[in-house]
Amino acid sequence: MAHIVMRDVQKRFGNVEVIPGASLEIKDNEFVVFVGPSGCGKSTLLRLLAGLEDLTAGAIEIDGERVDHLSPSRRGLAMVFQSYALYPHMTVRENMSYALRVARTPKAEVEAKVREAAEILQLTEYLDRKPKALSGGQRQRVAIGRAIVRDPKVFLFDEPLSNLDAKLRVQMRIEITKLHRRLKATMIYVTHDQIEAMTMADKIVVLNEGRIEQMGAPLDLYNDPDNKFVAGFIGSPAMNFFDGTVTARDDAALTVELSDKTKVVYPCANPGQAGVGDAVTLGVRPENFHFDGGDEPAIKGEVYAVERLGGETYLYLQSTAGHETVVHAVGDHEVAVGDQVAVNFNPARNHLFDPQGRTIR
Amino acid sequence: MTAMTDADFRRAIRARTLRRNLWLAFLLLPPMAVMFIFIFLPMGSAVLYSVYEWDGLVRGDFVGLENFREVLFEPQKSKFLFNAFKNNVIVFVSVMVVQNGLALVLAMLLAREPKGYRFYQVVFFLPVILSTVIIGFQWKLFLNPVFGLVNNLLRAAGLDSWALPWLGLPETALPSMILVNAWHWVGFPTLVFLAAIHRIPKDYIEAARLDGASEWRIARDIIWPLMAPAVTIIVVLTFIGAFNWFEIPYVMNGLEGAPGYSTDMLGLLFYRTAFGSISATDSDFGAGSALAVLIFLFIFTVSLIFTRLLTAREIELA
Amino acid sequence: MQTAKQKNSSLDRVLIQIFLIGNAIIMLYPILMMALSGFKTNAEIFTRPFGMPSSFNLDNFKVIWTQTDVPRYLINSAIVTGFSVLFLLVMGTMAAYALSRYRWRGSIMVSLFFLSGLMLPLRLAIIPLFIQLKAMGLTDNPLGLIAIYTAMSLPATVFILTGFLRSLPAELEDSARIDGASELRIMVQIMTPLISPALVIAGIYNAVPIWNDFFFPLIFIQSPEWKTLAQGLTQFFGEYSINYGVLYAGLTLAALPIVVIFIAQSRRFIAGMTAGAIK
């Protein structure tokens, strides 16, 4: 239960600016995911919040209280690490109770809390085992249990699922979301996997090179990315990008000529964001292509790979302008490698980015 | 919002840093102090002492390099130095050939994991853990000319003429000691070599075997070059050990390198010079310190050269 | 072709075994003879040098246990070795921990400070050390030996332990920090237990040479009260120079403790003693 504010937080290691300045607010009971490519500063941001690193400048508040001078344990938060960081020489019970024992909590209370957390996580029968004797998923649950036992205001997760296999990952994703509903605590979750971000978050914070690119609800980010980076990062398979040049502009639209000479009229509210002659990028999500023909613009190319998944089909085209293009089609689509195809798209449902990569809206 | 100002927070963070530095100091100062008092201070003093005259435990006048001149160039003293030096060189070369050569063969054989190879490892290493003093005395008893085990065995084998007073003859005393040393230590290089061989990825050896290389070719072309770092370490350790050789000659034939200084070593000479001995001279801390500085400089320089040369070879071979 | 090669390799195997067995005999026979001779009377040693003793009577050992200082030497060696290993492990862990688990300016300089100790042969500084210990009242005093052994062992100990401590994941420390543990507590309760194999290795690496050392006691200990085993043996050899059975028994007794531990823990011993030479 906590309301977190990070105000112009900065972090330098020596001369390296890891976080040049980030501000964000996290509401009580929110599930927030920090996502971004490796090295984007998402883990550093989490560690600053946890108190494992000292701020270079800025402020962090939890429930209106400055905490950036407090040691990690006094900030009322718990953290689940990528490697789980279970103490190898302690049993599950000892691992889960360690924080409470350090804090000299009465024995009976420690026992009760460990029992409760173990029950929630179905670990009761493993309490006397050492971490070595547990499976990956069980270790992960112990790590979460260790956090739960402390009744923290904030849960921090640092890429907690990246060491699990695909199937377990899906399962743990659901378990963590369930846990969030049950505990009603603020949770901050760091991952480089945008699928985790999309499926778990109330709010996603996309980071790149230490900067916050965009914050918002998952589908808002998906449907209305602020810039090319977010557009490309969120969504799988990733958005297709086509280079083009603005050839004409009026009050409500920009006309763009793609490198294969295809003309696209892109309706927008602020066409003034780009001028005639500007190099822009058109973004089309794979599922926004269709084969209906008509007078909508088309990307033409040769199919070089087809993935048939039964319910859906992915086509990989080499467009005539040389762009590798992914097309998503519902159902089984009759097409073979080597076929020449044309796929249409509706310009209004796509995105155009100005030379600086900002979305033209 | 609380009443603390931004400066207060900075101060609070600085206090955390200070606490951490105090903690680091608490961890580091005791071990550093012990090292300083019992290693660096005496090592430094040794250099200082070598340029003073000494009367027993009392330091006299500054005499510059006089002590060095004395031990190096006064024939009465320098003849001991050069004799001992020669003996140390003999020890180093012999140990390299006999002990480390045997160790290399043993390691290569053990690396093929023959039956009982764990047992062999333990047996070969057993003498290594024993005190040199025990080994020295034990072999002194075994080498006793009249009733020692060695001569008894020789006589039993009908080699009566070979039953010599091994430690009593200038020609056999030092070789005997070198063999005793080899017996004592051979397990050490053996297991260091063996560990180095075990670290070579099995793939290389298997690939060579598939290429049709004989065991001998594999040993020479694959294993030997790839165990170069272990060889470097053993050569340097053998060198340092040979020039610090003290216990075996001291225990087996005494401080004077009997018979006739044929087993005299730099270590014994240094000890005699510094603390005196029954037959020879009085204690002379000045000359002793000068000797110590010379020996140290020699060992240090040559070790460095060995390391350089052998590491260059490692890189070439790697 | 195949069979010829196989024959060849089985012949190889026989030759290798012969060579190894021969070597094993050379290593074991003297030790066995030393032990057996300890049970023999002087007369037996002369008349039946290779045979078994007529009986395994413990007379020689009784002489040593009741009439010589060897038991005291054993105790002294145990005290000196025990405390030296304790101190060097504690201080070595402290230094290695500071050097491996924290980033701070000057840590490289301090590492070099410790590493340079590896190259300084303290034996050659025996004269100033003697004067210094005399002034400190540490000659004829086991504390003097303990201090020297601790100091001498620190460089290698720090070196060995730093390597192991570095390999522990930082997340463990972070986790403990979030759990509210102090730095001291993290070191003692979380990190140090995880390097206990390294502590055993470092302990053996140092304990064996300390237990066996002869040189420093020879110079710093004069009174029989504090003589250590290796040094005390020289005294004992002077006193019993013609009673060979007793001498052999004394050597056997002196070798016994470490041989027993070695046989029980041979793998750890071998790993420990070669730790400095294997990277």
Side-chain angles (χ1 to χ4, degrees):
Chain A
M1 306 274 193
H3 177 243
I4 299 167
V5 176
M6 296 181 93
R7 199 174 297 128
D8 197 25
V9 164
Q10 295 176 30
K11 179 64 185 174
R12 260 197 311 272
F13 289 116
N15 293 325
V16 185
E17 234 174 27
V18 185
I19 311 278
S23 298
L24 66 98
E25 192 177 344
I26 293 165
K27 293 198 201 71
D28 200 7
N29 195 14
E30 213 170 15
F31 197 112
V32 175
V33 175
F34 293 175
V35 69
S38 61
C40 70
K42 56 190 189 293
S43 285
T44 308
L45 202 58
L46 194 75
R47 292 171 62 80
L48 287 170
L49 179 58
L52 294 170
E53 308 281 355
D54 285 331
L55 292 180
T56 306
I60 300 173
E61 288 167 16
I62 297 180
D63 285 340
E65 301 257 1
R66 280 284 290 262
V67 296
D68 43 272
H69 61 297
L70 295 179
S71 62
S73 61
R74 292 174 58 205
R75 299 187 184 192
L77 33 79
M79 188 157 168
V80 176
F81 293 88
Q82 179 172 10
S83 65
Y84 320 139
L86 301 181
Y87 310 128
H89 55 304
M90 297 185 190
T91 61
V92 169
R93 186 193 307 278
E94 287 164 341
N95 261 286
M96 290 182 27
S97 61
Y98 187 67
L100 298 178
R101 286 184 287 137
V102 169
R104 296 176 197 279
T105 314
K107 269 211 177 90
E109 195 185 330
V110 172
E111 183 59 20
K113 286 194 167 173
V114 170
R115 288 238 149 263
E116 194 195 331
E119 255 158 54
I120 295 176
L121 296 161
Q122 290 147 32
L123 286 168
T124 311
E125 56 185 304
Y126 305 110
L127 279 177
D128 292 314
R129 290 210 194 157
K130 295 260 176 77
K132 226 186 335 184
L134 300 178
S135 70
Q138 289 165 340
R139 285 180 207 179
Q140 174 67 72
R141 289 214 295 275
V142 176
I144 295 172
R146 205 163 58 171
I148 292 179
V149 163
R150 298 183 45 206
D151 258 336
K153 291 191 277 189
V154 186
F155 283 84
L156 308 178
F157 295 88
D158 190 3
E159 308 225 16
L161 304 186
S162 54
N163 288 346
L164 297 177
D165 64 46
K167 198 176 153 197
L168 259 174
R169 215 175 314 172
V170 175
Q171 201 181 321
M172 285 309 297
R173 222 152 69 191
I174 294 166
E175 278 192 43
I176 292 175
T177 338
K178 267 204 270 186
L179 198 67
H180 175 235
R181 274 200 299 274
R182 174 171 184 161
L183 297 175
K184 300 200 185 347
T186 306
M187 292 192 174
I188 303 175
Y189 188 106
V190 164
T191 180
H192 62 270
D193 179 352
Q194 53 93 22
I195 294 182
E196 276 176 24
M198 293 297 285
T199 51
M200 300 171 84
D202 296 325
K203 179 160 85 184
I204 293 180
V205 178
V206 181
L207 285 137
N208 184 32
E209 293 177 350
R211 282 171 218 283
I212 295 176
E213 296 279 355
Q214 192 174 0
M215 285 185 264
L219 285 181
D220 289 347
L221 261 56
Y222 186 84
N223 293 323
D224 189 17
D226 276 351
N227 52 48
K228 193 177 158 192
F229 179 82
V230 174
F233 193 79
I234 301 285
S236 171
M239 186 182 276
N240 297 295
F241 292 116
F242 303 96
D243 300 330
T245 316
V246 176
T247 53
R249 179 170 78 176
D250 62 30
D251 290 348
L254 289 169
T255 305
V256 176
E257 185 182 280
L258 302 185
S259 42
D260 63 355
K261 307 294 176 208
T262 307
K263 285 228 191 298
V264 179
V265 179
Y266 178 79
C268 53
N270 310 305
Q273 208 176 319
V276 171
D278 277 0
V280 292
T281 309
L282 179 75
V284 185
R285 293 215 179 265
E287 69 272 22
N288 284 349
F289 285 113
H290 56 90
F291 295 86
D292 296 346
D295 51 5
E296 283 186 348
I299 300 290
K300 297 183 201 60
E302 184 183 318
V303 178
Y304 69 88
V306 185
E307 286 176 357
R308 294 174 203 285
L309 304 175
E312 51 194 344
T313 305
Y314 289 101
L315 310 180
Y316 295 85
L317 312 182
Q318 183 82 36
S319 79
T320 43
H323 292 103
E324 288 183 0
T325 309
V326 187
V327 178
H328 173 260
V330 177
D332 186 13
H333 200 82
E334 287 299 324
V335 69
V337 171
D339 285 359
Q340 295 289 336
V341 297
V343 285
N344 306 89
F345 60 92
N346 176 358
R349 294 184 54 195
N350 294 310
H351 311 274
L352 193 65
F353 306 100
D354 71 12
Q356 285 74 45
R358 290 172 307 205
T359 302
I360 301 173
R361 290 200 170 103
Chain B
M1 288 298 266
T2 53
M4 278 171 90
T5 65
D6 228 43
D8 291 333
F9 289 110
R10 294 283 153 261
R11 210 168 301 131
I13 289 175
R14 264 206 306 279
R16 267 169 70 179
T17 316
L18 179 68
R19 252 204 313 281
R20 193 202 71 160
N21 289 345
L22 284 176
W23 162 242
L24 287 179
F26 163 78
L27 290 177
L28 285 166
L29 287 181
M32 286 178 81
V34 169
M35 286 266 295
F36 179 78
I37 296 171
F38 294 101
I39 296 197
F40 291 98
L41 199 58
M43 286 304 293
S45 307
V47 180
L48 189 71
Y49 288 8
S50 65
V51 289
Y52 282 89
E53 200 180 285
W54 285 81
D55 185 13
L57 279 169
V58 183
R59 196 165 77 182
D61 297 332
F62 175 83
V63 291
L65 296 179
E66 172 58 23
N67 290 322
F68 290 90
R69 191 197 59 78
E70 202 178 290
V71 294
L72 274 175
F73 301 114
E74 244 170 51
Q76 274 312 310
K77 304 207 163 162
S78 64
K79 70 173 190 211
F80 286 111
L81 178 63
F82 294 119
N83 174 56
F85 180 78
K86 181 200 77 194
N87 288 337
N88 281 108
V89 172
I90 292 172
V91 170
F92 170 59
V93 174
S94 323
V95 168
M96 277 301 295
V97 174
V98 177
Q99 174 183 311
N100 296 346
L102 176 62
L104 187 63
V105 173
L106 289 174
M108 292 271 194
L109 296 183
L110 287 178
R112 296 166 69 173
E113 310 203 352
K115 231 186 216 116
Y117 101 111
R118 296 224 171 272
F119 167 78
Y120 290 128
Q121 284 183 47
V122 174
V123 170
F124 297 162
F125 206 74
L126 183 59
V128 174
I129 60 156
L130 293 177
S131 166
T132 317
V133 176
I134 293 178
I135 305 242
F137 278 130
Q138 179 197 348
W139 282 95
K140 193 176 176 174
L141 291 174
F142 286 161
L143 289 169
N144 184 295
V146 183
F147 62 87
L149 183 69
V150 173
N151 283 354
N152 275 335
L153 281 173
L154 288 170
R155 285 191 208 102
L159 296 166
D160 287 63
S161 61
W162 283 53
L164 300 169
W166 298 98
L167 293 174
L169 297 174
E171 308 84 58
T172 54
L174 187 54
S176 301
M177 287 181 188
I178 290 169
L179 285 177
V180 169
N181 187 77
W183 182 84
H184 183 192
W185 283 108
V186 69
F188 185 80
T190 302
L191 291 197
V192 171
F193 289 150
L194 182 62
I197 296 173
H198 275 317
R199 291 166 96 89
I200 299 173
K202 284 262 179 313
D203 298 0
Y204 299 169
I205 293 164
E206 245 132 57
R209 203 163 280 150
L210 287 178
D211 286 343
S214 64
E215 292 300 321
W216 159 247
R217 292 290 304 245
I218 291 172
R220 195 192 68 184
D221 297 342
I222 312 284
I223 298 175
W224 170 248
L226 290 176
M227 62 188 286
V231 175
T232 306
I233 287 170
I234 291 298
V235 170
V236 173
L237 287 181
T238 302
F239 175 75
I240 294 173
F243 279 82
N244 278 318
W245 222 41
F246 179 80
E247 277 91 345
I248 291 261
Y250 178 90
V251 168
M252 294 183 78
N253 269 8
L255 206 45
E256 307 290 336
Y261 294 100
S262 64
T263 61
D264 199 13
M265 296 290 142
L266 289 173
L268 296 174
L269 174 66
F270 166 60
Y271 186 95
R272 289 203 305 271
T273 313
F275 296 103
S277 67
I278 314 150
S279 64
T281 47
D282 286 337
S283 161
D284 182 350
F285 279 6
S289 296
L291 261 181
V293 170
L294 289 173
I295 296 172
F296 171 70
L297 283 180
F298 177 73
I299 293 180
F300 187 81
T301 316
V302 178
S303 301
L304 216 61
I305 293 172
F306 271 137
T307 314
R308 278 280 163 81
L309 288 177
L310 291 166
T311 328
R313 169 177 164 273
E314 276 171 35
I315 293 162
E316 216 168 273
L317 290 172
Chain C
M1 181 66 204
Q2 188 61 33
T3 49
K5 198 159 194 182
Q6 229 142 37
K7 242 185 221 158
N8 188 13
S9 74
S10 76
L11 178 68
D12 270 10
R13 226 168 284 155
V14 171
L15 288 176
I16 289 173
Q17 283 295 343
I18 290 173
F19 186 74
L20 291 175
I21 290 170
N23 247 284
I25 291 173
I26 294 174
M27 301 318 269
L28 280 181
Y29 185 65
I31 293 176
L32 197 70
M33 285 311 290
M34 172 173 83
L36 286 179
S37 304
F39 292 96
K40 292 178 181 175
T41 61
N42 247 2
E44 274 181 289
I45 287 172
F46 285 109
T47 53
R48 302 172 48 217
F50 310 122
M52 296 296 279
S54 55
S55 72
F56 281 95
N57 78 66
L58 297 171
D59 289 352
N60 291 333
F61 292 94
K62 262 184 219 142
V63 171
I64 289 165
W65 205 252
T66 54
Q67 292 172 29
T68 72
D69 281 333
V70 171
R72 150 164 279 155
Y73 302 151
L74 269 168
I75 294 168
N76 288 345
S77 274
I79 291 173
V80 169
T81 309
F83 278 103
S84 302
V85 170
L86 177 72
F87 287 139
L88 72 89
L89 285 183
V90 169
M91 288 199 199
T93 307
M94 286 162 69
Y97 195 80
L99 291 171
S100 60
R101 302 305 307 182
Y102 298 93
R103 270 179 306 181
W104 44 284
R105 243 180 302 149
S107 72
I108 291 174
M109 290 307 293
V110 174
S111 296
L112 286 178
F113 175 89
F114 282 109
L115 275 185
S116 61
L118 279 177
M119 291 177 294
L120 298 177
L122 192 60
R123 283 175 174 216
L124 293 174
I126 198 74
I127 296 168
L129 201 56
F130 180 75
I131 294 173
Q132 192 180 319
L133 288 195
K134 219 172 170 61
M136 294 166 89
L138 290 177
T139 48
D140 248 343
N141 184 338
L143 276 179
L145 289 180
I146 292 170
I148 291 171
Y149 291 142
T150 304
M152 274 172 59
S153 311
L154 273 174
T157 308
V158 170
F159 185 68
I160 293 171
L161 295 183
T162 306
F164 279 86
L165 278 167
R166 273 221 178 98
S167 69
L168 297 180
E171 287 194 344
L172 277 180
E173 240 177 281
D174 289 341
S175 181
R177 260 178 217 136
I178 289 192
D179 277 348
S182 63
E183 298 299 300
L184 175 66
R185 203 173 181 132
I186 294 173
M187 176 171 124
V188 174
Q189 273 185 348
I190 306 289
M191 304 306 259
T192 309
L194 298 181
I195 56 154
S196 49
L199 291 173
V200 172
I201 283 180
I204 290 172
Y205 179 80
N206 293 304
V208 174
I210 292 174
W211 173 268
N212 287 336
D213 185 48
F214 165 67
F215 186 78
F216 289 102
L218 176 71
I219 287 159
F220 293 120
I221 306 287
Q222 262 88 50
S223 67
E225 196 190 341
W226 283 112
K227 281 192 173 164
T228 61
L229 188 60
Q231 169 199 23
L233 279 180
T234 57
Q235 175 102 10
F236 162 75
F237 257 71
E239 288 166 14
Y240 286 81
S241 55
I242 43 157
N243 196 341
Y244 297 105
V246 173
L247 291 183
Y248 277 118
L251 288 176
T252 307
L253 201 62
L256 197 62
I258 200 162
V259 170
V260 169
I261 304 174
F262 171 67
I263 287 169
Q265 295 286 329
S266 58
R267 249 188 231 208
R268 285 197 168 137
F269 260 68
I270 290 171
M273 289 195 65
T274 54
I278 297 172
K279 275 188 249 165

